[in-house]
């Protein structure tokens, strides 16, 4: 019970003070996704530098506490990682949220472990994974762009 409260505090903190909320640079890879079952909407802007490192992630849009908090946590986790590291983290989180992996595997990802409490509620899982699907799409698109540039 105490743990659940702790997780709730982390989620509320990210919801009330979302990190990296706003618009990215115009050259960013932008992805927009909706979660119609809840009404969550996210616009995600990903900036990858010439070394293949995620330089910046910004998100905007509106949604429930879980979707906003999850997006906020996602940006903190992804910024500074290489594209391949970022993709591995996204895959880990999505598999865990779908129940394919032990929830405890989220522990190594800091605040994201607060999302464990959501796994029990399938309707909320869609809220929690929206931003992760968005960043996954953006990472794939930015990789394609870099390959097309011959880098
Ligand atoms: Zn939602």
């Amino acid at each position: 019970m105490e743990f659940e409260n702790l997780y709730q505090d982390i989620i509320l903190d990210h919801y009330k003070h979302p990190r990296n909320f706003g618009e990215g640079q115009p050259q960013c890879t932008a992805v927009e996704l909706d979660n119609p079952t809840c009404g969550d909407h996210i616009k995600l802007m990903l900036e990858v530098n010439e070394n293949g490192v995620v330089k910046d992630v910004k998100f905007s849009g509106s949604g429930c506490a879980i979707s906003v908090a999850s997006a906020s946590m996602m940006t903190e986790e992804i910024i500074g990682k290489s594209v391949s590291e970022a993709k591995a983290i996204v895959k880990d989180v999505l598999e865990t949220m779908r129940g394919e992996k032990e929830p405890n595997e989220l522990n190594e990802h800091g605040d994201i472990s607060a999302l464990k409490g959501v796994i029990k509620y399938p309707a909320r899982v869609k809220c929690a994974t929206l931003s992760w699907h968005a960043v996954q799409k953006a990472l794939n698109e930015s990789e394609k762009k870099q390959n097309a540039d011959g880098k």
Side-chain angles (χ1 to χ4, degrees):
M1 198 56 210
E2 206 177 297
F3 280 116
E4 300 242 330
N5 286 337
L6 173 72
Y7 288 145
Q8 249 166 16
D9 286 347
I10 296 172
I11 287 172
L12 275 179
D13 181 53
H14 278 274
Y15 175 56
K16 287 181 184 159
H17 313 284
R19 324 306 196 248
N20 303 302
F21 189 86
E23 297 269 327
Q25 299 296 316
Q27 72 270 23
C28 286
T29 305
V31 167
E32 287 193 64
L33 281 184
D34 286 298
N35 171 24
T37 51
C38 177
D40 307 318
H41 174 81
I42 187 171
K43 180 179 180 190
L44 184 128
M45 296 180 88
L46 174 86
E47 191 177 353
V48 175
N49 73 12
E50 64 277 10
N51 300 319
V53 172
V54 177
K55 195 179 156 209
D56 199 18
V57 185
K58 288 270 192 306
F59 77 99
S60 54
S62 59
C64 64
I66 301 280
S67 73
V68 172
S70 179
S72 170
M73 293 173 193
M74 178 275 293
T75 62
E76 284 199 315
E77 189 69 18
I78 297 300
I79 292 171
K81 300 285 195 304
S82 72
V83 168
S84 55
E85 281 171 336
K87 282 173 77 175
I89 294 167
V90 171
K91 190 168 167 274
D92 243 20
V93 171
L94 287 175
E95 283 176 356
T96 309
M97 295 306 289
R98 283 199 297 258
E100 293 162 13
K101 275 190 168 177
E102 280 300 312
N104 286 337
E105 295 198 28
L106 288 182
N107 286 351
E108 61 187 84
H109 297 311
D111 281 0
I112 301 174
S113 58
L115 295 175
K116 279 194 291 192
V118 174
I119 298 172
K120 288 176 278 187
Y121 308 99
R124 305 326 298 274
V125 166
K126 286 187 180 170
C127 302
T129 54
L130 181 68
S131 58
W132 296 87
H133 283 297
V135 77
Q136 190 175 49
K137 208 172 156 207
L139 286 165
N140 287 336
E141 280 180 19
S142 112
E143 222 173 24
K144 261 186 237 159
K145 240 192 253 177
Q146 289 221 325
N147 289 340
D149 290 347
K151 280 177 191 160

